[in-house]
Amino acid sequence: MESQSDKSPDEKTLESMKELILSYQGRAIPLHHLSAQLNSLMNILISVDPGFKNSLFREWMVIEEINALALDSGKEDVMEEHKTILDGSLRKLLTLLAG
């Protein structure tokens, strides 16, 4: 099994992204934290394929838009009508990060 020290910086970043999503799904962090941290982590990716990074970005944009809509409505978490869209985006991100 590959140790944490054997992983490249990008692999560590992608693993951190996955852990963040799982933390959100486990209700350990709020949506705005998930969105901000995913954005920060995407910005430090160095040598990932541009198409892969674009796919990550597209799914992050869905999360960010849902976050903005919630905040504009005075809520800290996703509105009920956006949960299915958010869940789909999180699943897609986890699939991308697993591959």
Side-chain angles (χ1 to χ4, degrees):
M1 181 172 191
E2 189 175 21
S3 74
Q4 190 69 4
S5 61
D6 293 338
K7 293 183 178 181
S8 73
D10 280 345
E11 289 172 322
K12 291 176 187 177
T13 299
L14 294 172
E15 184 65 30
S16 293
M17 291 174 74
K18 185 169 140 183
E19 289 170 9
L20 271 170
I21 294 167
L22 295 174
S23 291
Y24 173 76
Q25 289 177 324
R27 301 193 182 277
I29 61 172
L31 182 61
H32 65 88
H33 182 78
L34 172 66
S35 180
Q37 291 300 310
L38 285 176
N39 184 39
S40 294
L41 289 170
M42 282 190 304
N43 286 327
I44 63 171
L45 290 171
I46 300 166
S47 59
V48 297
D49 176 74
F52 175 73
K53 190 171 183 178
N54 189 46
S55 294
L56 292 175
F57 183 77
R58 274 195 316 269
E59 297 308 323
W60 169 78
M61 283 297 301
V62 172
I63 295 166
E64 178 55 22
E65 187 172 333
I66 289 171
N67 179 54
L69 290 168
L71 293 175
D72 286 347
S73 297
K75 301 185 187 289
E76 289 195 19
D77 206 7
V78 62
M79 293 185 295
E80 192 64 38
E81 60 267 27
H82 299 139
K83 284 186 178 184
T84 302
I85 297 167
L86 178 62
D87 289 346
S89 188
L90 294 173
R91 276 192 307 277
K92 287 177 187 174
L93 274 173
L94 287 172
T95 299
L96 286 166
L97 294 168

